[in-house]
Every structure is written in structure tokens, then in C-alpha cells.
Amino acid sequence: MAIERTLSIIKPDATKRNLTGKINAKFEDAGLRIIAQKRIQLTKDQAGKFYAVHAARPFYDELCEFMASGPVVVQVLEGEGAIGKNREVMGATNPADAAAGTIRAEFAESVGENSVHGSDAPETAAEEIAFYFSDLELVG
Ligand code: ADP
Ligand code: MG
């Protein structure tokens, strides 16, 4: 499998509980390298642009409010099959369905406040990385 890059976000519920290091350890233990990382606070408008694909879904407004409610850590993970591997490490969207040992099983508070975001395909990974990072900031 090829070396890939994927966008990860440690969400406000997790930064609030000081879980950045514990979550990063999960990525590194799985062989994913954190090749870019910054802590930022999104406005609701910026969160809305990032999650525009979900604009028609009933939870969109709640999701944008939540993502702007505190700091997030945006990061690029690199490794063999990084997009799928990160989704495995994250676990299912709803922590009630997430496999044991996954980030969401261990840390997520609810289906909305679920600690991490991860890109779901090569095209979205490229778009999402470019949303937060310039090429100069990506040092593999
Ligand atoms: P994932 O983050 O696992 O890729 P989705 O892309 O389907 O999941 O949804 C994006 C985000 O929207 C989720 O991570 C979660 O924060 C929120 N979300 C998804 N489904 C719901 C829901 N039923 N109620 C509230 N928030 C939700
Ligand atoms: Mg998604």
C-alpha cells in the first residue's frame, strides 16, 4: 500500500479535557507520523465551510457550533494507507459502536462530541489538508 497523508482534527471536547498527547500517542503507536500540527480556534463560519458537505444534515448547525466552541488541533498524519488506518484508530462515529481500544471508544463523549475528525478518501484528504495547511508547513 502507498504512503498517504490524511487530515486529522482533535476536536474541542478532547482539547478541553487535555487529551491531545494521549490521542497523539494512539496515532504514533499505529505507525502514523504527525508531519504537521497546529492548535487553532475556528469561527463558526470557518467550521461551516470545512463541514459544507454536511450542510443539509440535521446536525449541521450543532456541529459547527461545537467545532467553534473551543480550540482544535489540526494535523496531517502520514503513513502506509494513512487514510484508512486513521479511520481504524479513530473508531466508529458513534462511540457506542466504536471498537475497543479506538480513540472514540476510549475518549468520545457522544456521537457529536466524538473527539476526532479524519478524512475519508484521497480526494477529501487532499482538499482538507489544503484547507488548513500550505505546502511549506508539511514536512514529511
Ligand atoms: P465521521 O466524523 O466519522 O466521518 P460523519 O462524516 O458522518 O462522521 O459526520 C461528521 C461529524 O458530524 C461527526 O464526526 C460528528 O461530530 C457529527 N455527527 C455525525 N452524526 C451525528 C449525529 N447523528 N448527531 C450529532 N452529530 C453528528
Ligand atoms: Mg466524515
Side-chain angles (χ1 to χ4, degrees):
M1 180 157 292
I3 299 287
E4 293 176 341
R5 289 176 173 178
T6 190
L7 185 87
S8 166
I9 306 178
I10 301 178
K11 295 184 177 181
D13 67 285
T15 60
K16 206 170 291 170
R17 288 175 290 143
N18 209 22
L19 293 170
T20 299
K22 287 201 173 98
I23 289 173
N24 280 350
K26 293 273 194 196
F27 297 139
E28 292 183 338
D29 288 349
L32 293 164
R33 305 180 69 84
I34 302 162
I35 64 158
Q37 175 166 260
K38 58 191 173 191
R39 180 174 165 109
I40 60 175
Q41 174 124 22
L42 296 170
T43 64
K44 189 176 173 186
D45 189 56
Q46 288 168 330
K49 288 199 174 85
F50 179 75
Y51 276 118
V53 65
H54 294 308
R57 299 176 78 176
F59 56 80
Y60 178 66
D61 191 64
E62 179 192 335
L63 174 61
C64 298
E65 284 276 354
F66 165 60
M67 291 300 288
S69 70
V72 296
V73 177
V74 294
Q75 46 193 191
V76 179
L77 308 179
E78 184 181 81
E80 290 268 321
I83 297 165
K85 186 178 284 183
N86 182 40
R87 298 291 310 192
E88 277 173 33
V89 175
M90 290 165 61
T93 307
N94 187 338
D97 303 327
T102 61
I103 291 169
R104 284 166 165 171
E106 283 191 23
F107 302 125
E109 299 197 299
S110 65
V111 64
E113 305 203 1
N114 59 3
S115 302
V116 281
H117 167 86
S119 307
D120 59 12
E123 304 71 34
T124 47
E127 283 171 20
E128 291 179 0
I129 290 169
F131 188 91
Y132 292 107
F133 294 98
S134 74
D135 285 346
L136 272 178
E137 293 176 297
L138 306 176
V139 185

